[in-house]
Amino acid sequence: MSKNIFMRFTILTILSIVGLQSFAQLVVTPGTGGTNICSNAATNTYTLDTIKITETAGGFQPGGGVGSCNVVLRTPVGWKFVSPAPSLAFLSGGNITSASATLVNDSTLSVTPVIAAGSGADALFIIGLKVTALSAS
């Protein structure tokens, strides 16, 4: 069961990135804290390890331009995110100038990096994302 939940978070993370209009090539390293998640108690909160989104070629820009884009993560059925929103970090020297994370609701996290012109390689880190089961199974 725990591998199933981990795979769901991994797939959701990857699917969230696929929708990003970009000329960049991205690699998503999922948080590994999801391997021991158990939904037998709805009161347990689990913190996932850092999720890393790395650019393998410069140009992490929405539609090839500058501005901001959204990366949306959603929980699988039966799970929810726990407040507060996770912390974000990014590599200095790349095109990302700032980033914010917002819990839109219990099942949706929106991450918005702001991107400047340039061709530097970027990495965005989602740190301290917490989840819990909605009910015991």
Side-chain angles (χ1 to χ4, degrees):
M1 174 91 176
S2 63
K3 284 188 178 182
N4 187 19
I5 298 301
F6 174 72
M7 289 305 297
R8 286 182 183 179
F9 275 111
T10 302
I11 291 168
L12 288 172
T13 301
I14 291 169
L15 289 176
S16 298
I17 301 305
V18 171
L20 187 70
Q21 293 181 352
S22 176
F23 294 119
Q25 296 175 349
L26 303 175
V27 173
V28 177
T29 305
T32 57
T35 57
N36 294 320
I37 290 180
C38 181
S39 64
N40 64 1
T43 58
N44 292 344
T45 298
Y46 301 95
T47 302
L48 302 178
D49 290 340
T50 300
I51 299 169
K52 182 178 178 183
I53 304 168
T54 307
E55 185 178 43
T56 58
F60 185 49
Q61 299 168 346
V66 297
S68 62
C69 58
N70 282 330
V71 177
V72 177
L73 302 177
R74 291 194 171 92
T75 61
V77 173
W79 292 85
K80 69 176 184 175
F81 292 122
V82 178
S83 293
S87 301
L88 301 176
F90 51 90
L91 294 178
S92 62
N95 301 329
I96 299 175
T97 58
S98 65
S100 62
T102 304
L103 285 174
V104 177
N105 55 43
D106 285 350
S107 63
T108 306
L109 171 69
S110 176
V111 176
T112 306
V114 176
I115 298 115
S119 60
D122 293 296
L124 179 65
F125 306 91
I126 302 171
I127 305 162
L129 182 59
K130 296 180 181 185
V131 296
T132 190
L134 293 174
S135 62
S137 61

